[in-house]
Amino acid sequence: MTSSVATYAHIDLVDADDRYLVTLRRPAQRNAISGEMIAELHDACAVMERTPKPVLLTGQGQHFAGGADIAQLRERTRDDALAGINRNLFDRIAALPLPTVAAVPGYALGGGAELAYACDIRIASPTTVFGNPEPGLGILAAAGASYRLPSLVGMSVAKQVLLGGATLDADTALRHGLVQEIADDPVAAANRIIDRIVRQSALALRFTKKIVDAPGDQPWVNDIAQAVLFEHTDKAERMTAFLERKK
């Protein structure tokens, strides 16, 4: 497997043959999400949108991301809030064309939790803790938790986190379906999931993700997407290979 590495000030982006690996790299600050990191992640998104591949997102060291950079957050104004600085980035990550898998060691708090919620699949480590303590800082979890967490764990559990200050450790997150599994090495586990993903049809995955994420029930969209796939050479080749293996 060949790969290239783009090293920014606060993230690394590895462009491999069949996947991207994005690593948050501020371990001394528990990978707190700063304005500079947000800008770098936007640059990474532009790369990943131009040439779509599955994405593995993780944090360097013992933690995924311990939240936003509070020193910077304290200085943000009403206009900054209206600009949706963190939300726009996390929505962009959620909209990446192919599946995203977050390997989540240690803390995923505040904006770090919301970044993990924006991914399609999450893998925990035994030390993982999800939480949204924003009301304790006089703000709300405005970068996706209010509309992603209820769909991931249900309204009752989401309210326990967002209103009651509860945190979800790895076992609790697994029990409520927030993570797929708990692994001593979540990056290795995430790579195994991506190994399965890349064996599937990229176009079928793109359509499936877009349809699953779309609001409301629109069965006719499934028919249109299926019609496109039925006429694609990938379908004939994959089904022929399947039938040949069964002989």
Side-chain angles (χ1 to χ4, degrees):
M1 179 182 293
T2 60
S3 62
S4 62
V5 181
T7 300
Y8 298 80
H10 302 300
I11 70 168
D12 290 331
L13 171 62
V14 177
D15 181 350
D17 286 337
D18 60 1
R19 69 197 68 188
Y20 294 104
L21 170 61
V22 180
T23 304
L24 311 181
R25 189 167 43 75
R26 297 185 74 204
Q29 294 81 29
R30 294 177 176 170
N31 298 318
I33 299 170
S34 63
E36 294 80 7
M37 182 184 284
I38 290 169
E40 292 171 4
L41 287 168
H42 273 298
D43 285 347
C45 283
V47 173
M48 297 185 289
E49 290 161 351
R50 283 196 299 270
T51 307
K53 303 175 191 178
V55 177
L56 195 165
L57 177 63
T58 193
Q60 187 181 78
Q62 297 181 341
H63 300 286
F64 180 73
D69 187 305
I70 302 301
Q72 290 187 1
L73 198 59
R74 184 181 60 181
E75 303 306 315
R76 288 188 185 172
T77 66
R78 175 189 61 190
D79 290 342
D80 293 322
L82 292 173
I85 295 171
N86 290 24
R87 180 189 57 76
N88 282 323
L89 170 66
F90 300 163
D91 286 353
R92 188 175 185 179
I93 289 172
L96 286 171
L98 286 172
T100 54
V101 183
V104 186
Y107 289 147
L109 303 176
E114 291 178 301
L115 176 56
Y117 303 157
C119 293
D120 298 307
I121 298 169
R122 285 152 296 280
I123 306 298
S125 77
T127 62
T128 295
V129 177
F130 295 94
N132 288 99
E134 285 90 341
L137 296 170
I139 59 173
L140 59 89
S146 64
Y147 50 92
R148 288 198 177 95
L149 191 57
S151 68
L152 292 171
V153 299
M155 185 63 74
S156 177
V157 175
K159 285 185 174 181
Q160 292 170 42
V161 174
L162 298 174
L163 302 179
T167 58
L168 305 177
D169 62 18
D171 289 332
T172 306
L174 181 64
R175 186 166 67 250
H176 290 295
L178 181 59
V179 302
Q180 177 170 323
E181 64 179 283
I182 302 169
D184 290 330
D185 187 343
V187 171
N191 271 311
R192 288 193 292 272
I193 292 171
I194 294 179
D195 288 342
R196 295 198 299 269
I197 289 171
V198 298
R199 291 196 290 268
Q200 302 179 70
S201 163
L203 184 60
L205 287 170
R206 290 186 71 166
F207 279 142
T208 300
K209 177 171 177 174
K210 182 66 72 174
I211 289 169
V212 169
D213 286 343
D217 296 325
Q218 299 173 333
W220 57 273
V221 175
N222 289 268
D223 297 339
I224 294 172
Q226 193 77 300
V228 174
L229 293 170
F230 273 16
E231 295 299 314
H232 198 274
T233 57
D234 200 29
K235 173 224 177 191
E237 292 170 358
R238 287 172 174 273
M239 290 191 175
T240 299
F242 175 83
L243 292 171
E244 291 295 326
R245 286 196 300 272
K246 293 195 68 175
K247 287 183 179 179

